[in-house]
Amino acid sequence: MFENLSERLSGILDKLTRRGALSEADVGEAMREVRRALIEADVALDVVRSFTDKVRNRAVGHEVLRSVTPGQQVIKIVHDQLVEMLGSTARPIDLEAPAPVCIMMVGLQGSGKTTTTAKIGKRLGDRHKAKTLLASLDTRRPAAQEQLRVLGEQNSIDTLPIVVGQTPTQIAERAMTAGRLGGYDVVILDTAGRTHIDEPLMLEMAEIKKISKPHEILLVADALTGQDAVNLAKSFDQRVGITGIVLTRMDGDGRGGAALSMRAVTGKPIKLVGTGEKADALEDFDPARIAGRILG
Ligand code: GDP
């Protein structure tokens, strides 16, 4: 039977009956379990290494309090370090810019970009009373623009009228103009995805960024793709520059390792998590909850 990390750490450390401070050897065995659990949770190897180093430094010499068992104390250190590396607090979408504030959504095909675009539009309307315009710049997949139009209609969010034959940059330009003239607070651009990162995709993203001057560029990534999501975040950040990450499919059975890696590798905050297909299945990123999930 698979034991979660908390149980395994208690199992190892609570055998220590000696009182005093945790020794290097006590902590060493526990760190092997932490390393194994993080690798199972799909955390990138160099992130695992720096994580266990930090925990080891905090734990060795840590006084073992009489009231609590050593296992519990190390679990707390691991938990606190996870929360710290995940970014400590939730970071909301930043709307502090002259209207219309542009949010550019980027990511691979199938990551949940269009669904998330509508979810964010709905949330901004519901919570911030923001008048929001959604625009699909995906001219490669014929049904993409229509998909966003339908989602907008279902959730009472305006969408930019579809004009057949326009390029993504032309649509971006039209969206920003419509945003200004229509008195919108926010314009969300749903860019086209690909099955993988390629040069034309990056050039297109750079071009759209130049035209629309987004205040936020949010990478939408599927949490279940683990290491691929981390590499994706790295590439998009290097080439286009991202301001935050939305992790989708957090309702799936992924262990949350992708969240830790993405944050550590890019230094960019995870702002929101997708937790289902419905328009309201979007939550603020909660580092403590993800830490709990990784710990099991
Ligand atoms: P896009 O190609 O990146 O625009 O992806 P879509 O927005 O079309 O989403 C692809 C599929 O993933 C759709 O069936 C969505 O309903 C589904 N989806 C998106 N976000 C989530 C999520 O957070 N959880 C789950 N379970 N499904 C999601």
Side-chain angles (χ1 to χ4, degrees):
M1 181 62 188
F2 176 81
E3 271 184 308
N4 67 36
L5 181 57
S6 299
E7 285 164 5
R8 283 190 268 173
L9 290 179
S10 311
I12 294 164
L13 293 167
D14 290 347
K15 283 185 299 215
L16 305 172
T17 48
R18 189 179 44 72
R19 291 284 179 251
L22 287 170
S23 75
E24 184 106 35
D26 301 336
V27 174
E29 200 187 336
M31 285 313 104
R32 273 190 290 282
E33 287 301 321
V34 171
R35 189 177 305 124
R36 199 174 303 151
L38 292 181
I39 290 168
E40 279 168 17
D42 216 4
V43 177
L45 273 180
D46 41 353
V47 177
V48 172
R49 206 163 301 128
S50 82
F51 181 85
T52 46
D53 284 350
K54 283 180 183 142
V55 171
R56 188 180 291 112
N57 288 340
R58 274 163 97 152
V60 172
H62 185 89
E63 220 180 301
V64 180
L65 302 171
R66 282 173 203 289
S67 54
V68 207
T69 52
Q72 298 289 292
Q73 292 177 52
V74 173
I75 288 165
K76 179 159 187 330
I77 293 171
V78 171
H79 178 271
D80 292 350
Q81 187 63 44
L82 280 172
V83 170
E84 194 179 310
M85 278 181 78
L86 284 164
S88 297
T89 51
R91 290 269 297 275
I93 289 182
D94 182 5
L95 297 176
E96 297 297 317
V101 180
C102 178
I103 302 174
M104 180 175 164
M105 310 293 293
V106 302
L108 294 185
Q109 208 172 72
S111 58
K113 206 158 18 66
T114 304
T115 314
T116 305
T117 299
K119 285 177 178 179
I120 292 177
K122 181 168 162 47
R123 161 181 281 240
L124 294 180
D126 291 349
R127 294 199 182 179
H128 302 271
K129 302 284 167 272
K131 187 178 170 193
T132 303
L133 179 68
L134 311 180
S136 169
L137 274 50
D138 190 348
T139 54
R140 291 166 61 89
R141 202 160 54 90
Q145 297 190 54
E146 179 60 15
Q147 183 192 350
L148 188 66
R149 190 194 67 73
V150 171
L151 284 170
E153 193 174 280
Q154 285 169 352
N155 295 288
S156 311
I157 315 159
D158 292 349
T159 49
L160 186 75
I162 297 170
V163 175
V164 179
Q166 283 200 316
T167 63
T169 46
Q170 287 171 331
I171 304 174
E173 232 167 333
R174 188 159 58 86
M176 294 318 295
T177 305
R180 266 189 300 278
L181 298 178
Y184 285 92
D185 300 308
V186 182
V187 174
I188 309 181
L189 304 178
D190 180 18
T191 64
R194 302 276 201 280
T195 49
H196 60 280
I197 290 182
D198 59 14
E199 195 53 26
L201 176 68
M202 290 306 174
L203 290 174
E204 184 176 308
M205 294 304 117
E207 193 68 16
I208 292 166
K209 179 181 172 182
K210 213 161 84 189
I211 285 171
S212 55
K213 301 186 177 55
H215 189 57
E216 287 267 27
I217 300 178
L218 300 179
L219 171 72
V220 179
D222 180 346
L224 300 182
T225 59
Q227 289 305 306
D228 289 342
V230 179
N231 295 330
L232 183 78
K234 210 155 118 185
S235 303
F236 265 101
D237 194 35
Q238 281 167 353
R239 292 298 306 274
V240 191
I242 60 174
T243 59
I245 297 164
V246 182
L247 270 185
T248 59
R249 300 212 175 79
M250 284 301 276
D251 49 315
D253 56 9
R255 293 276 309 277
L260 183 68
S261 301
M262 285 172 108
R263 167 76 212 204
V265 167
T266 64
K268 296 295 158 65
I270 297 161
K271 297 207 159 188
L272 297 160
V273 297
T275 53
E277 303 205 22
K278 297 222 172 67
D280 52 6
L282 184 71
E283 295 174 12
D284 289 324
F285 177 66
D286 180 354
R289 184 147 11 123
I290 305 294
R293 191 158 163 165
I294 294 173
L295 268 172

